């Protein structure tokens, strides 16, 4: 294959959606696998709905996921500009070219007239197909419309035929183009429609493969006809199945987070999220789902992507994220957790101890933001006890005795040595026999953390250090 040029062309009318991110990922993988180029183009022709903040969100989200573009905004290539709003001249020129060679024409029909036609179609329960009223209007009529102040749109004259293309994922796809009305390519305000701009840009940027969501498949015949009318080589098309919610409907905001930035903010690791997204519609041939992006690139085949919808399974995402949290280097995870610990006084602990805290907590969290609550007992000295904790851990005649004896034990512990603590705490539990371990562990844990479960108890003792441990136990004993 000659070096492919693929693109992702999001519209900045919302934050980067996981569906677009997954399409970006497949494009990126395809480009890397085939030593091609991955291009980012911003489709901001809808000036009213496009916003700078969304555009920024698209850049930030793609960068966060590690999907850096070879050409696009901020990364110059010779095919720029990479924002449609900066390419407006091009579209008018090309539209004129189509008018001059008979492939397009001005349409002066007003919105009201078109609405009436649509209403008639609705009543007849048929699809609206533009009646070509303006295809051959007289000069006189045209002048009359102009005098009335009507601003024309430009419509493409759709050639009627059976159109077949070979989709790289769906194989042969057929369309009867006589069912496609002459569609507008330039609006009356002289801005291009999506179908026109996308073709002009894909031609202008030498795009070889258009890999995008299945929701665009009905646009493809229109676009192919435009390529043909412009005498340009039609790129390969690959339409990827949609991402569905667990109820099999299209994934949308009512199902929860849909923007990549929301997931990143919650503490999904970009590596885990990329791994998860790659599995939405693609399965590794070796059946081993946990893979780095580099490994995925090696094994990926475009034609192995499923054309069926892929369910966005949040539990699976959580599972994958948890695996990454536990397996990435501790130092790295500790650094990433700091963002979620910013309300705590981190200087309370040495770097080494902070790593110990994270190494304990990462066994129990699925997203990084959970570390805030999980770490609370190490940073908040005012321990409170819920009724549940009081009932299950701090009730019974043994409690006071256990805590007092534990306080004595603290005198013998080397608080700089976690192994010593573990060893002596074990002996302590034995020495308290016949009292069951649970009746020793529970009061100590509850008094030190206010919780019934959590990190390994001897680790907690080590992390808190002597002063904290002694003061927390004493504070509680004083209330008895
Ligand atoms: N702006 C379009 C979208 O975000 C691009 C579609 C395409 O790839 O052609 O859906």
């Amino acid at each position: 294959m000659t070096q492919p040029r693929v693109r992702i062309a999001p519209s900045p009318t919302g934050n980067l959606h996981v569906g677009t991110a997954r399409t970006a990922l497949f494009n990126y993988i395809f480009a890397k696998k085939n030593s091609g180029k991955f291009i980012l183009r911003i489709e901001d022709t809808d000036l009213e709905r496009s916003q700078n903040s969304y555009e920024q969100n698209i850049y930030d989200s793609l960068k966060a996921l590690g999907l850096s573009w070879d050409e696009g905004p901020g990364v110059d290539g010779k095919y720029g500009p990479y924002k449609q709003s900066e390419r407006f001249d091009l579209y008018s020129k090309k539209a004129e070219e189509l008018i001059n060679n008979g492939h397009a024409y001005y349409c002066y029909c007003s919105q009201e007239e078109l609405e009436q036609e649509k209403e008639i179609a609705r009543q007849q329960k048929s699809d609206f197909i533009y009646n070509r009223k303006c295809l051959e209007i007289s000069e006189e009529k045209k002048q009359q419309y102009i005098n009335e102040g009507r601003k024309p749109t430009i419509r493409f004259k759709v050639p009627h035929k059976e159109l077949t293309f070979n989709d790289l994922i769906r194989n042969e796809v057929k369309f009867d183009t006589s069912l496609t009305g002459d569609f507008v390519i330039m609006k009356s305000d002289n801005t291009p429609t999506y179908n026109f701009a996308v073709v002009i840009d894909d031609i202008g940027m030498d795009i070889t493969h258009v890999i995008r969501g299945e929701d665009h498949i009905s646009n493809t015949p229109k676009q192919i006809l435009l390529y043909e009318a412009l005498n340009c080589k039609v790129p390969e098309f690959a339409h990827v199945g949609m991402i569905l919610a667990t109820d099999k409907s299209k994934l949308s905001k009512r199902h929860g987070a849909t923007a990549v930035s929301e997931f990143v903010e919650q503490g999904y690791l970009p590596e885990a999220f990329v791994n998860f997204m790659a599995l939405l519609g693609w399965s590794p041939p070796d059946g081993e789902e946990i893979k780095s992006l580099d490994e995925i690139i090696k094994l990926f085949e475009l034609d192995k992507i499923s054309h069926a919808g892929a369910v966005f399974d949040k539990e699976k995402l959580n599972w994958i994220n948890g695996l990454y949290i536990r397996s990435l280097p501790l130092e790295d995870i500790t650094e990433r957790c700091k963002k979620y610990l910013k309300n705590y006084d981190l200087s309370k602990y040495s770097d080494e101890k902070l790593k110990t805290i994270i190494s304990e907590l990462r066994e129990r969290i699925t997203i990084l933001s959970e570390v805030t609550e999980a770490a609370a007992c190490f940073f908040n000295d005012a321990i409170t006890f819920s009724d549940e904790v009081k009932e299950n851990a701090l009730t019974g005649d043994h409690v006071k005795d256990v805590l007092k004896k534990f306080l004595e034990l603290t005198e013998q512990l080397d608080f700089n040595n976690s192994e010593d603590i573990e060893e002596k705490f074990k002996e302590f539990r034995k020495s308290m026999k016949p009292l069951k371990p649970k009746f020793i562990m529970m009061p100590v844990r509850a008094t030190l953390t206010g919780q019934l479960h959590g990190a390994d108890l001897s680790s907690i003792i080590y992390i808190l250090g002597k002063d904290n441990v002694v003061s927390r136990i004493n504070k509680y004993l004083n209330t008895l």
Side-chain angles (χ1 to χ4, degrees):
M1 190 188 305
T2 50
Q3 287 190 341
R5 291 176 56 82
V6 296
R7 86 309 192 266
I8 181 80
S11 304
T13 52
N15 290 335
L16 186 73
H17 188 277
V18 289
T20 315
R22 194 230 359 199
T23 308
L25 174 63
F26 286 162
N27 274 281
Y28 179 90
I29 294 171
F30 183 74
K32 297 296 147 188
K33 172 141 196 137
N34 298 292
S35 316
K37 293 272 188 266
F38 171 62
I39 294 142
L40 172 63
R41 182 172 72 229
I42 298 292
E43 299 214 327
D44 57 349
T45 42
D46 186 344
L47 296 174
E48 246 163 59
R49 288 174 58 228
S50 296
Q51 283 184 25
N52 287 342
S53 60
Y54 293 142
E55 194 179 311
Q56 193 57 46
N57 180 276
I58 292 169
Y59 300 146
D60 294 345
S61 303
L62 287 173
K63 280 184 196 155
L65 295 173
L67 305 179
S68 50
W69 47 101
D70 301 308
E71 287 172 32
V75 189
D76 264 353
K78 57 177 180 156
Y79 299 84
Y82 294 92
K83 276 167 73 169
Q84 286 189 331
S85 57
E86 293 166 16
R87 302 171 65 85
F88 275 142
D89 290 350
L90 258 160
Y91 310 123
S92 320
K93 242 185 248 156
K94 287 286 176 189
E96 242 160 70
E97 197 180 306
L98 286 177
I99 290 179
N100 292 340
N101 56 25
H103 286 298
Y105 59 94
Y106 287 110
C107 172
Y108 291 89
C109 292
S110 66
Q111 276 306 324
E112 294 77 52
E113 286 164 347
L114 292 170
E115 256 326 303
Q116 273 172 14
E117 301 276 336
K118 283 182 192 165
E119 185 49 40
I120 292 169
R122 263 196 293 273
Q123 278 168 14
Q124 293 171 346
K125 295 201 168 28
S126 55
D127 288 330
F128 165 73
I129 296 179
Y130 178 63
N131 60 16
R132 293 194 160 167
K133 199 169 128 198
C134 290
L135 179 57
E136 279 164 8
I137 56 169
S138 63
E139 264 313 304
E140 215 182 330
K141 195 81 186 154
K142 186 172 159 186
Q143 205 50 53
Q144 180 199 325
Y145 286 146
I146 293 171
N147 293 345
E148 279 174 23
R150 293 196 189 195
K151 296 249 179 308
T153 59
I154 299 176
R155 284 185 187 271
F156 179 66
K157 189 179 158 206
V158 172
H160 294 170
K161 62 173 181 175
E162 186 178 87
L163 186 148
T164 306
F165 69 93
N166 187 46
D167 189 283
L168 295 177
I169 296 173
R170 296 159 185 265
N171 302 324
E172 194 178 74
V173 182
K174 277 189 184 156
F175 279 97
D176 176 358
T177 65
S178 67
L179 302 173
T180 304
D182 291 351
F183 55 93
V184 173
I185 55 173
M186 292 294 282
K187 297 182 229 170
S188 55
D189 62 1
N190 209 28
T191 59
T193 56
Y194 155 71
N195 274 311
F196 190 52
V198 79
V199 168
I200 300 306
D201 289 340
D202 284 343
I203 292 171
M205 295 181 182
D206 273 351
I207 298 302
T208 58
H209 296 72
V210 173
I211 305 167
R212 62 184 171 194
E214 183 202 4
D215 49 339
H216 282 289
I217 201 157
S218 61
N219 289 319
T220 307
K222 293 181 188 167
Q223 296 175 9
I224 292 177
L225 293 175
L226 283 168
Y227 280 98
E228 290 173 351
L230 290 159
N231 255 325
C232 290
K233 188 173 182 313
V234 181
E236 300 280 359
F237 287 96
H239 290 92
V240 180
M242 303 303 284
I243 298 183
L244 306 175
T246 33
D247 63 4
K248 300 281 161 77
S249 66
K250 202 175 152 197
L251 187 71
S252 70
K253 283 212 173 87
R254 73 189 163 89
H255 300 109
T258 51
V260 168
S261 49
E262 290 172 87
F263 288 99
V264 172
E265 193 50 44
Q266 286 172 28
Y268 286 95
L269 306 183
E271 299 91 328
F273 202 73
V274 161
N275 191 160
F276 170 72
M277 283 197 302
L279 301 172
L280 293 170
W282 176 76
S283 314
D286 60 4
E288 178 48 66
E289 292 195 309
I290 304 303
K291 288 208 173 351
S292 70
L293 185 51
D294 284 344
E295 290 169 318
I296 292 169
I297 291 170
K298 276 193 202 115
L299 295 171
F300 185 85
E301 299 290 345
L302 191 59
D303 58 3
K304 294 287 181 324
I305 290 180
S306 163
H307 53 78
V311 172
F312 189 96
D313 180 350
K314 186 89 179 280
E315 275 176 33
K316 182 166 179 181
L317 170 62
N318 286 343
W319 171 69
I320 294 179
N321 204 56
L323 283 180
Y324 274 80
I325 288 180
R326 289 190 287 284
S327 63
L328 283 181
L330 180 58
E331 195 125 336
D332 183 359
I333 291 296
T334 305
E335 263 323 297
R336 298 197 211 194
C337 280
K338 282 186 181 164
K339 177 175 159 192
Y340 301 95
L341 300 173
K342 61 178 183 299
N343 290 333
Y344 298 134
D345 176 12
L346 294 188
S347 67
K348 259 179 107 153
Y349 295 106
S350 66
D351 287 352
E352 225 27 60
K353 277 239 166 124
L354 192 60
K355 274 199 277 179
T356 313
I357 293 176
I358 301 302
S359 108
E360 283 298 325
L361 299 185
R362 73 167 166 177
E363 299 298 323
R364 266 161 280 276
I365 58 175
T366 46
I367 51 176
L368 292 183
S369 55
E370 287 168 359
V371 83
T372 314
E373 203 187 315
C377 66
F378 296 115
F379 294 94
N380 295 338
D381 288 329
I383 303 291
T384 53
F385 307 100
S386 67
D387 287 346
E388 194 197 357
V389 171
K390 281 186 205 155
E391 200 175 305
N392 288 294
L394 298 170
T395 307
D397 298 338
H398 62 290
V399 173
K400 198 168 177 176
D401 186 43
V402 166
L403 293 179
K404 277 189 165 163
K405 295 232 167 72
F406 175 68
L407 208 51
E408 284 163 22
L409 173 75
T410 59
E411 290 305 320
Q412 296 155 37
L413 299 179
D414 175 0
F415 273 87
N416 293 319
N417 181 343
S418 59
E419 275 154 32
D420 182 69
I421 294 174
E422 194 178 346
E423 199 51 44
K424 294 211 173 105
F425 191 56
K426 209 187 270 168
E427 283 164 22
F428 171 67
R429 289 197 311 256
K430 275 191 205 149
S431 73
M432 296 290 282
K433 271 184 180 167
L435 203 56
K436 285 192 182 143
K438 128 171 161 184
F439 293 109
I440 300 153
M441 313 276 275
M442 293 289 256
V444 174
R445 177 185 292 281
T447 314
L448 293 181
T449 67
Q451 291 162 1
L452 293 176
H453 313 281
D456 172 71
L457 192 47
S458 47
S459 301
I460 292 174
I461 297 166
Y462 166 71
I463 292 163
L464 285 173
K466 186 169 185 184
D467 291 351
N468 271 326
V469 168
V470 169
S471 94
R472 287 180 188 195
I473 300 284
N474 271 328
K475 212 162 160 187
Y476 185 71
L477 280 174
N478 288 339
T479 66
L480 297 180

